[in-house]
Amino acid sequence: MILKVVKYGNPVLRKKGAKIDSITPAVKKLIADMFDTMYDARGIGLAAQQVGEALQLTVLDVREVVDRPSTLEINGKPTDVKEFMPLVLINPELIPSGKTVAGPEGCLSFPEIFADISRPEMVDVVALNEKGEKIEFRAGGLLARAIQHENDHLNGLLFIDRMESDTKADLQPDLDELQAATKSALKKK
Ligand code: ZN
């Protein structure tokens, strides 16, 4: 089922996600719906906050992006990223590493707003998958960027918080407009 994507200005985007204790049928349904919603919106990642649920849960799939490579290592061995997709991360813990690199980002909660964001180029991840099994891996490239972007959502952080101040100043009128539109739509409910 395709869910409505929450837009900037909705307070749920600023909520830290609660840990998920067990993979209940409701969590399984939410994961399936989040994938439907993400693919429908042609996104590569979606956090639970973006469908109105403040939980430590995100879904990702970078297979559609061919011009921005991703890397993956499991137990130190390079592994096929495609085989690892789609990816569900529950209660993820991240250790970013490597040099900081700037790259373009967008966000389904900020339609038509894009900016270069600087983030560490690699990230070590420990999380649970959709079966509640522990997974550990190191991601690089686009996947590392996407995971860090989604993990920020799980902590109530948004990519505008990581923009250069000049970039954010340029986008501020668009951001203010989006925030106002979201708030007025929420009031009407
Ligand atoms: Zn986002």
Side-chain angles (χ1 to χ4, degrees):
M1 189 174 86
I2 295 165
L3 306 173
K4 200 163 188 293
V5 177
V6 166
K7 302 296 188 314
Y8 175 55
N10 188 312
V12 72
L13 290 176
R14 289 301 188 184
K15 281 195 186 156
K16 187 177 165 72
K19 280 209 167 172
I20 292 178
D21 296 325
S22 65
I23 316 296
T24 60
V27 170
K28 283 185 189 162
K29 170 85 166 85
L30 179 60
I31 291 169
D33 289 346
M34 283 171 65
F35 274 118
D36 289 346
T37 306
M38 182 185 81
Y39 290 131
D40 177 67
R42 306 194 66 84
I44 60 168
L46 187 70
Q49 276 80 347
Q50 293 181 279
V51 293
E53 302 278 350
L55 293 169
Q56 293 285 322
L57 164 66
T58 178
V59 300
L60 298 117
D61 192 338
V62 295
R63 284 177 294 187
E64 282 293 304
V65 185
V66 288
D67 56 338
R68 298 172 70 195
S70 295
T71 63
L72 176 67
E73 277 180 32
I74 299 175
N75 298 323
K77 276 193 203 135
T79 305
D80 187 357
V81 177
K82 286 193 171 131
E83 298 276 308
F84 205 57
M85 300 289 130
L87 179 61
V88 176
L89 300 177
I90 295 169
N91 306 339
E93 287 178 35
L94 271 55
I95 303 175
S97 63
K99 64 177 192 290
T100 300
V101 287
E105 289 186 24
C107 180
L108 295 178
S109 297
F110 293 79
E112 290 163 46
I113 292 174
F114 300 91
D116 277 356
I117 306 290
S118 292
R119 297 187 189 271
E121 62 180 343
M122 275 187 300
V123 64
D124 286 294
V125 182
V126 181
L128 300 178
N129 67 12
E130 67 281 6
K131 294 174 192 149
E133 299 162 343
K134 187 178 173 186
I135 53 170
E136 290 187 70
F137 59 94
R138 170 173 283 190
L142 180 64
L143 181 59
R145 176 172 296 283
I147 288 171
Q148 291 176 80
H149 177 115
E150 296 314 325
N151 189 65
D152 277 351
H153 276 297
L154 305 189
N155 292 298
L157 281 170
L158 299 169
F159 79 148
I160 53 171
D161 306 333
R162 298 195 184 274
M163 279 177 193
E164 304 263 353
S165 52
D166 290 3
T167 309
K168 198 178 169 197
D170 287 347
L171 291 171
Q172 199 62 54
D174 295 337
L175 294 171
D176 291 345
E177 197 181 316
L178 175 60
Q179 188 176 45
T182 303
K183 283 187 173 165
S184 90
L186 284 173
K187 258 188 212 155
K188 278 184 198 141
K189 269 187 193 164

